[in-house]
Amino acid sequence: MDKPPTGDDISNKIDSVIKHLKANSISLTEVEKLKSYKKLRAIIFTKSKSINHLSLFRKITFKIDIYIILSVLFGLLGLITTFLSYYGLELFINETYKHLFEIDLRHEQCLVPKLEFLLDIVRPASNCDLCRNIQNVDRINNVTREEFEEKYAYTRHPVIITDAMKNWLAVKKFNYNFFKRLYRPDSTALRSVEEVCQFFPYKNKAEFDTLADVFMMDTVRAYMLETNYKPWYVGWSNCDYSTAYLLRQYYSRPYFLPEQSESSKGTPGLGAHMHIDNVDLPSWQAQVKGRKKWTLRPAPECMLACKELNIIMQPGEIIVLDTNWWYHKTYVISEDEISITIGSEFD
């Protein structure tokens, strides 16, 4: 189908006709007197006006589209503002983080979630010479501080000290009921964990929202008295000075390390997944009760040069390792009692 002629097409046609007439010795004055000429000029004028009107209509339509978009945006902004004013900004942000990252901001120290896979991507390459000749984890006792620092503290060589808990009252007193009394509802100890410190539910996220939930378990579940019990494994840090002072009455600083403390506990069948800690210092963990299997792996770039290490921690033993260098996971294997560990970083 042919397109309708535009004003420019008609004007060009007129100019062509005029040139043809002038070529045949007909003057422009005579041409302008022709009825057909006036009719063509009128058509050009009408076409020009319709084109201008169309252009104006397009401009108006474009402006209307912009106003519609702005109206929708301001409408959505108004709905969000109304929601925030009704429910509160804190609740809105907290619920958003729960759905996106499964993080409860009320119990987190950082607003931005720590994404382990991103930290692994930007992690600097490890020096494989540090683990190349490590074939096993040494078990030692009666070690001096100087010997420990020279051979193990900063060499990334894991070690187990077997005699550092001989006089600890924690070995006899620490159990589920002990911590349940210490972290009772409305206590300073529990409040500090929920408001300031960190709580790690690991694979029990759906069940334990806070540390208080852990100590609401009944005794049958907590002590694994049922045949088909459901395993549980949690950890938390302590930031309350009065609680730290009380806990220190039950254990002393390992004779080869500075004093700091964190605690965790769990039942058989669960543990921490394979991961690497993003901290600056090596750490120690004391196996107060129960038995726990540790698996230590070198960084991926060192898998061919270094060996994976598997060890079983017995009650009364302390393991010292750099968890920022060794990938590690744990698994509680004791069947007759709850696994309880306490530990800390050291400098």
Side-chain angles (χ1 to χ4, degrees):
M1 182 181 293
D2 296 334
K3 295 181 179 180
T6 64
D8 289 338
D9 293 334
I10 297 173
S11 180
N12 292 335
K13 187 68 175 177
I14 291 175
D15 291 340
S16 176
V17 171
I18 291 173
K19 289 180 181 179
H20 177 74
L21 293 175
K22 290 174 70 176
N24 291 279
S25 302
I26 300 176
S27 66
L28 181 59
T29 304
E30 293 176 333
V31 170
E32 290 177 346
K33 291 179 181 180
L34 295 174
K35 291 182 179 181
S36 57
Y37 176 83
K38 294 179 180 179
K39 184 177 179 180
L40 289 174
R41 283 298 183 188
I43 292 174
I44 291 175
F45 178 75
T46 303
K47 288 287 184 181
S48 299
K49 287 187 67 176
S50 65
I51 292 170
N52 290 335
H53 289 161
L54 179 59
S55 177
L56 179 61
F57 176 74
R58 287 176 177 171
K59 290 180 180 179
I60 293 173
T61 304
F62 176 74
K63 288 183 179 179
I64 291 174
D65 291 340
I66 291 295
Y67 289 141
I68 291 174
I69 293 172
L70 290 176
S71 298
V72 171
L73 290 177
F74 280 113
L76 291 174
L77 183 61
L79 288 175
I80 294 173
T81 305
T82 303
F83 175 85
L84 293 180
S85 62
Y86 184 78
Y87 290 101
L89 179 61
E90 180 181 350
L91 178 62
F92 173 75
I93 295 177
N94 192 55
E95 290 300 319
T96 301
Y97 266 69
K98 268 190 175 182
H99 285 87
L100 292 178
F101 306 112
E102 296 184 354
I103 290 177
D104 189 345
L105 289 179
R106 293 171 298 178
H107 307 110
E108 291 288 332
Q109 293 181 325
C110 299
L111 180 63
V112 179
K114 183 175 70 175
L115 304 177
E116 291 185 4
F117 74 94
L118 289 180
L119 295 174
D120 286 344
I121 292 175
V122 299
R123 176 185 58 82
S126 299
N127 181 2
C128 300
D129 291 336
L130 297 174
C131 64
R132 194 180 304 277
N133 297 319
I134 299 178
Q135 300 299 316
N136 51 57
V137 178
D138 296 338
R139 272 186 162 86
I140 61 175
N141 59 63
N142 196 29
V143 61
T144 66
R145 183 177 180 83
E146 291 74 22
E147 183 182 0
F148 169 77
E149 291 182 349
E150 179 183 354
K151 292 184 178 180
Y152 302 105
Y154 308 108
T155 62
R156 295 188 171 88
H157 193 306
V159 63
I160 294 174
I161 295 89
T162 61
D163 64 344
M165 297 167 56
K166 286 183 177 180
N167 300 318
W168 284 17
L169 190 59
V171 176
K172 297 180 179 179
K173 298 295 185 180
F174 278 8
N175 55 38
Y176 176 81
N177 283 334
F178 173 90
F179 289 102
K180 184 173 182 176
R181 290 192 300 270
L182 178 61
Y183 292 94
R184 63 191 179 277
D186 299 324
S187 65
T188 303
L190 183 61
R191 210 161 39 242
S192 69
V193 175
E194 294 185 343
E195 295 178 358
V196 183
C197 301
Q198 293 177 306
F199 171 66
F200 307 99
Y202 296 105
K203 294 183 179 180
N204 299 107
K205 289 182 179 180
E207 185 178 8
F208 303 137
D209 189 37
T210 66
L211 183 59
D213 295 333
V214 176
F215 295 117
M216 290 178 65
M217 286 190 294
D218 58 65
T219 304
V220 173
R221 165 79 195 290
Y223 281 93
M224 310 165 291
L225 300 180
E226 293 180 343
T227 304
N228 297 319
Y229 66 86
K230 184 180 178 181
W232 59 276
Y233 188 90
V234 300
W236 68 90
S237 59
N238 174 60
C239 305
D240 179 64
Y241 289 109
S242 60
T243 305
Y245 178 79
L246 188 150
L247 289 172
R248 299 273 168 76
Q249 308 310 306
Y250 292 86
Y251 70 93
S252 58
R253 176 180 63 86
Y255 64 84
F256 52 88
L257 290 175
E259 183 178 7
Q260 287 180 359
S261 170
E262 291 182 354
S263 63
S264 63
K265 58 181 61 52
T267 56
L270 285 182
H273 62 280
M274 182 63 71
H275 67 288
I276 193 170
D277 296 335
N278 292 282
V279 295
D280 297 324
L281 304 171
S283 62
W284 61 273
Q285 283 202 29
Q287 191 68 35
V288 179
K289 286 191 174 181
R291 294 185 302 146
K292 185 185 292 184
K293 179 182 178 181
W294 284 72
T295 300
L296 310 182
R297 290 177 185 167
E301 61 270 22
C302 299
M303 290 295 290
L304 296 178
C306 302
K307 182 180 177 181
E308 177 180 292
L309 306 174
N310 291 282
I311 52 176
I312 294 178
M313 292 289 297
Q314 302 292 343
E317 295 183 336
I318 296 178
I319 184 171
V320 180
L321 74 157
D322 190 340
T323 57
N324 194 48
W325 198 88
W326 286 94
Y327 283 79
H328 55 283
K329 68 176 180 178
T330 59
Y331 191 84
V332 178
I333 59 174
S334 53
E335 294 288 347
D336 54 343
E337 63 180 341
I338 294 176
S339 171
I340 301 176
T341 63
I342 58 176
S344 174
E345 299 171 22
F346 68 93
D347 55 19

